[in-house]
Amino acid sequence: MDRTTEELLSFLKEAVTPFHAADRLCRTLEADGYERLPENRPWKLITGGRYYLSRNGSSVLAFSLPEGPFRGFQIAAAHTDSPSFKIKESADRVSAGYRGAETEPYGGSIYSTWLDRPLSVGGRVCVRTEEGVETRLVRSEGPLFLIPSVAIHMNRSCNDKASFSAATDLQPLYGLADDEPFSARIAEMAGVPKESVLSRDLFLFSDGGTVWGAGEQFVSAPRLDDLQCVFALFSAFRGAQPKDAVPVFCAFDNEEVGSRSKQGAASDFLRSALERICESLSLSRNETAARLADSFLVSADNAHAIHPNHPEYADPLNAPVLNGGVVIKFNADQRYTTDAESCALFRRFCEQAGVPVQCYANRSDLPGGSTLGGISSSQVSVRSVDIGLPQLSMHSAYETAGAKDTDALVRVMQCFFSASLETSPSGIRIRF
Ligand code: ZN
């Protein structure tokens, strides 16, 4: 297994919920010497400084300032969340002699893939303190749940047409009726007495990841969408050598449910950070607008690779393959923000980094999904491209991607974070 894939799998093992992903990113930034900026205090930034901030404990933004004046922002964003099941507030359920925990779906999972698989639980717990409230990150030591399928003898049509009710078919088993309820376990996981637990955001997650195939060219793991991109962007950000632009790394929560939370891509998280950076460097509104006009946003979210058994779902010409390199996404209706200009710029970065590029477009009679780029552009209107890494089985509990593609994204984004743009009436100059 190559080093990048090894590091990716170790990141996925830690980043089991958006809270854990953000925590891991913050700890790494802290160890690298980045200074944490509290959102509830005025910022005093110095040139040459390196900073990060987090919102809701599930979204993270990091940037570094050059020694001299800067031209624009080189921004790249991905998302920390993945489809899952969230434990409900009142969750203790007893039925047919068993104990379970009531859940509801978070995002759009392929339900069948969550069945008959050991599931762990993690997230955050809010506990009572003398002064008020404290938030604690928690995860179970090992699997505690499983969603059992119904035997084929009782459901003869299970292979013809899969249909699941989230209220009945997808409720996870936890123990037997006379076992302690799951809620008792939450206090234990948080390391506090039962009466101290006030609330929680807890999600089921599955573990494990592996490299496989004729030439070990495939990597399969939970949450590749979109933690493979988070990992690649973050590695590139840490390894970049910026000159006269401000590189900005963003990891947003809640993409899978539309991004419309205070920490999602539709929030003011990015816009407010960029405004505060400019203000704290004493730039006028006029000067700030000029910086934004020379900025570039790369929105990175995994893309559908052509399926080995169902190539008919792919566009005949714009169909990426695993290990074929980074994917640029196109959509005439602007569900992806890519246009000729942003595509051309991104291609120039790929050329510079020696990275292969592929194109994705939906089959013209299939609607497809949308992602961060368009939503973020409505908050911070800068030139933008939607890209991603090719993968199979998007939103399965166990997804598959090309083992070589992660490194390709790291290389092109390192080049991106190190560069700056200068727009003129005759074109855009890239300073690599
Ligand atoms: Zn995604």
Side-chain angles (χ1 to χ4, degrees), residues 1-6 8 211-212 214-220 228 231-232 321-326 354-356 358 389-390 400-412:
M1 195 189 303
D2 66 274
R3 212 163 125 218
T4 307
T5 310
E6 214 171 288
L8 167 68
V211 170
W212 58 280
E216 299 212 318
Q217 65 275 67
F218 303 127
V219 56
S220 295
Q228 190 184 12
F231 169 81
V321 294
L322 299 182
N323 291 312
V326 177
V355 162
Q358 335 183 54
L389 292 174
T400 292
K404 286 193 198 128
D405 291 325
T406 319
D407 197 54
L409 185 55
V410 175
R411 282 189 289 134
V412 61

Side-chain angles (χ1 to χ4, degrees), residues 79 81 225-226 255-256 300-302 329 370-371 394-395:
H79 65 89
D81 62 324
D225 170 15
D226 187 29
E255 192 276 341
E256 297 296 357
D301 197 358
N302 273 2
K329 305 178 185 179
S370 66
T371 178
M394 191 176 283
H395 293 193

Side-chain angles (χ1 to χ4, degrees), residues 195-234:
E195 54 282 5
S196 300
V197 174
L198 292 168
S199 60
R200 65 278 202 303
D201 290 317
L202 294 177
F203 296 89
L204 301 182
F205 66 87
S206 64
D207 244 326
T210 189
V211 170
W212 58 280
E216 299 212 318
Q217 65 275 67
F218 303 127
V219 56
S220 295
R223 303 179 292 283
L224 284 172
D225 170 15
D226 187 29
L227 294 180
Q228 190 184 12
C229 284
V230 171
F231 169 81
L233 262 45
F234 191 59

Side-chain angles (χ1 to χ4, degrees), residues 138-157:
V138 299
R139 70 182 278 185
S140 61
E141 293 274 343
L144 289 179
F145 292 99
L146 185 141
I147 306 171
S149 58
V150 173
I152 193 167
H153 314 81
M154 288 139 189
N155 183 12
R156 292 278 177 195
S157 64

Side-chain angles (χ1 to χ4, degrees), residues 10-11 19 36 106 111-112 115 136 141 177 185 187 230 244 252 273 294 298-299 304 343 362 401 413 421 424 426:
S10 120
F11 178 68
F19 304 108
R36 188 178 190 115
Y106 173 87
Y111 289 151
S112 62
L115 269 53
R136 296 198 174 188
E141 293 274 343
R185 190 95 170 212
V230 171
D244 59 350
F252 290 113
D294 271 336
V298 171
S299 150
H304 301 294
C343 169
N362 296 321
M413 293 312 293
L421 301 182
S424 74
S426 60

